[in-house]
């Protein structure tokens, strides 16, 4: 309810400046801080990278400003002078721990989708008759970010691959 569903944010703008954090503007007090990556979109990321970026004031730009082009992903470059061009500003960030399931559900109801990070690995995916699922309880690091838009407490644990959760239920 905070925005209409026609808003399409640029994954490229957010991804680029979440990884390429080095500021080159000599008028910026943090000039020279951060890193620059030559393979930005192969680097991976997580919710903390995104939080750091949007808290600094960059990363929330419209798709039409910097489009995502999968066919030319390795040649995409976003100009430094576009770093602080953001359509939206973040005013609050809440971080939930894994064990706060009811608080996470409440936050989805009250605020809409929530960002989550996970360790992406093909060995934990299952493309079964009951849908596409993923479960990994072995990795404590993350390399991808996604949105949780809801949940299904009745999603059978049997729908997951060889690595299954202990109880039924899934985030959507």
């Amino acid at each position: 309810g905070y925005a209409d569903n026609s808003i399409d944010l640029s994954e490229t703008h957010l991804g680029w400046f979440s990884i390429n954090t080095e500021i080159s503007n000599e008028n910026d007090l943090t000039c020279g801080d951060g890193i620059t990556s030559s393979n930005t979109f192969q680097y991976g990321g997580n919710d903390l990278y995104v939080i750091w970026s949007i808290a600094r004031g960059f990363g929330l730009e419209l798709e039409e400003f910097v489009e995502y082009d999968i066919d030319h992903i390795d040649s995409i470059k976003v100009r430094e002078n576009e770093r602080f061009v953001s359509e939206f500003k973040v005013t609050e960030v809440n971080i939930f721990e894994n064990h706060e399931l009811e608080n996470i559900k409440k936050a989805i109801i009250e605020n809409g989708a929530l960002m989550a990070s996970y360790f992406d690995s093909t060995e934990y995916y299952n493309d079964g008759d009951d849908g596409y699922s993923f479960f990994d309880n072995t990795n404590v690091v993350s390399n991808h970010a996604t949105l949780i838009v809801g949940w299904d407490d009745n999603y059978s644990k049997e729908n997951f691959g060889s690595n299954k959760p202990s109880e039924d239920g899934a985030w959507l």
Side-chain angles (χ1 to χ4, degrees):
Y2 290 105
D4 69 57
N5 62 6
S6 67
I7 294 174
D8 185 8
L9 296 177
S10 172
E11 296 87 352
T12 301
H13 193 268
L14 178 61
W16 181 267
F17 290 119
S18 291
I19 300 302
N20 291 291
T21 58
E22 184 175 1
I23 307 286
S24 61
N25 181 343
E26 294 179 6
N27 295 321
D28 191 300
L29 295 176
T30 61
C31 180
D33 290 350
I35 62 166
T36 299
S37 174
S38 61
N39 61 345
T40 299
F41 297 104
Q42 306 303 320
Y43 194 84
N46 61 43
D47 55 347
L48 293 177
Y49 287 6
V50 172
I51 291 169
W52 296 330
S53 296
I54 60 179
R56 271 300 307 275
F58 47 86
L60 295 176
E61 184 52 76
L62 295 174
E63 179 74 17
E64 64 192 50
F65 183 71
V66 184
E67 293 184 359
Y68 183 78
D69 184 356
I70 189 69
D71 295 327
H72 300 98
I73 196 74
D74 292 329
S75 62
I76 291 176
K77 302 280 187 233
V78 182
R79 294 185 302 273
E80 176 63 23
N81 66 346
E82 296 170 347
R83 178 180 299 277
F84 293 102
V85 177
S86 290
E87 186 73 19
F88 302 96
K89 303 292 183 208
V90 169
T91 58
E92 181 179 347
V93 173
N94 294 307
I95 299 175
F96 297 91
E97 297 297 327
N98 292 336
H99 61 277
E100 298 176 355
L101 299 181
E102 292 308 313
N103 289 339
I104 293 171
K105 290 176 181 179
K106 181 180 176 188
I108 292 170
I109 291 169
E110 293 175 356
N111 302 302
L114 299 178
M115 184 174 46
S117 291
Y118 69 100
F119 185 82
D120 185 66
S121 177
T122 57
E123 69 185 289
Y124 299 110
Y125 283 100
N126 184 46
D127 187 9
D129 295 336
D130 293 313
Y132 196 66
S133 61
F134 177 90
F135 180 74
D136 172 17
N137 63 345
T138 61
N139 288 292
V140 295
V141 297
S142 62
N143 63 1
H144 272 64
T146 189
L147 286 178
I148 298 174
V149 297
W151 65 91
D152 180 352
D153 288 332
N154 298 315
Y155 190 83
S156 174
K157 64 183 178 184
E158 299 307 317
N159 293 337
F160 292 91
S162 58
N163 191 26
K164 298 182 185 323
S166 60
E167 299 175 7
D168 289 347
W171 296 113
L172 305 175

